[in-house]
Amino acid sequence: MRPIRQFHSYTFWFIVLLGIEIAIARYAHDDFVRPFVGDLLVILLLYCLLTAFCALSSSSSNSLGIIKRVMMVVIIAFVVEFLQLWHITTYLGLSKYPLLQIVLGNTFDPKDLLAYSLGGVCVLGIEGALGYRSKLRGT
């Protein structure tokens, strides 16, 4: 896929996933969709954002492969989750900013680590399927 087309495609999916995440945060008040599906989808969202930025620099998109991008996003999610364990927003005095509390979270849950890992597997599966499909089409 050409870099500008890749940028547009991943930016589009980032916006779609962001809309879904906002809808989940606003309307899903259950024990599965909001805490688990939302955390799984955030990996796809961040992967799309990272890949869109990598597409802007053709050297970055070539040197930073799919697996590396997935690993980066999952590791960042793990780091943020472990920062929740140590109540980083309270420690840094950020608890008065609701948006930061939503983004960084404030409650550690080991199930979130599972959701992030499954999100990474989903990205690899989707990218693998799309790559396989494009090889079949000869593009």
Side-chain angles (χ1 to χ4, degrees), residues 11 16 22 29 42-43 48 51 61-63 74 77 86 111 118 129 138:
T11 300
V16 168
I22 290 170
H29 303 289
V42 80
I43 297 300
C48 288
T51 303
S61 63
N62 291 335
S63 66
V74 171
W86 298 303
K111 289 183 239 162
L118 290 175

Side-chain angles (χ1 to χ4, degrees), residues 81-97:
E81 190 67 29
F82 280 107
L83 289 174
Q84 292 174 13
L85 181 64
W86 298 303
H87 306 286
I88 195 71
T89 54
T90 303
Y91 180 74
L92 295 176
L94 302 173
S95 54
K96 59 187 170 190
Y97 302 104

Side-chain angles (χ1 to χ4, degrees), residues 1 5 12 34-35 46 48 55 62 67 86 94 96 100 102 131:
M1 187 181 298
R5 188 169 172 213
F12 169 79
R34 185 172 184 155
L46 293 174
C48 288
N62 291 335
I67 293 174
W86 298 303
L94 302 173
K96 59 187 170 190
L100 278 177
I102 291 169

Side-chain angles (χ1 to χ4, degrees), residues 4 12 27 69 72 74 78-79 84 86 124 126 137:
I4 195 68
F12 169 79
Y27 301 110
R69 289 192 305 262
M72 284 176 60
V74 171
F78 271 50
V79 167
Q84 292 174 13
W86 298 303
L124 292 174
I126 292 166
R137 289 185 302 188

Side-chain angles (χ1 to χ4, degrees), residues 81 108-115:
E81 190 67 29
F108 175 81
D109 187 351
K111 289 183 239 162
D112 292 349
L113 303 175
L114 175 63

Side-chain angles (χ1 to χ4, degrees), residues 4-136:
I4 195 68
R5 188 169 172 213
Q6 186 178 26
F7 171 76
H8 287 236
S9 177
Y10 282 96
T11 300
F12 169 79
W13 285 110
F14 168 78
I15 293 168
V16 168
L17 289 165
L18 182 61
I20 292 169
E21 287 284 3
I22 290 170
I24 287 172
R26 178 126 171 105
Y27 301 110
H29 303 289
D30 63 349
D31 294 331
F32 180 72
V33 173
R34 185 172 184 155
F36 194 79
V37 175
D39 285 343
L40 186 146
L41 289 177
V42 80
I43 297 300
L44 280 75
L45 173 110
L46 293 174
Y47 176 81
C48 288
L49 181 64
L50 177 61
T51 303
F53 280 115
C54 286
L56 291 177
S57 169
S58 59
S59 62
S60 292
S61 63
N62 291 335
S63 66
L64 195 59
I66 294 168
I67 293 174
K68 287 181 183 177
R69 289 192 305 262
V70 169
M71 288 177 61
M72 284 176 60
V73 168
V74 171
I75 288 169
I76 289 168
F78 271 50
V79 167
V80 169
E81 190 67 29
F82 280 107
L83 289 174
Q84 292 174 13
L85 181 64
W86 298 303
H87 306 286
I88 195 71
T89 54
T90 303
Y91 180 74
L92 295 176
L94 302 173
S95 54
K96 59 187 170 190
Y97 302 104
L99 183 61
L100 278 177
Q101 283 215 302
I102 291 169
V103 171
L104 296 176
N106 54 10
T107 306
F108 175 81
D109 187 351
K111 289 183 239 162
D112 292 349
L113 303 175
L114 175 63
Y116 301 146
S117 300
L118 290 175
V121 169
C122 286
V123 169
L124 292 174
I126 292 166
E127 287 287 17
L130 292 175
Y132 178 72
R133 194 173 79 203
S134 68
K135 286 180 185 174
L136 286 177

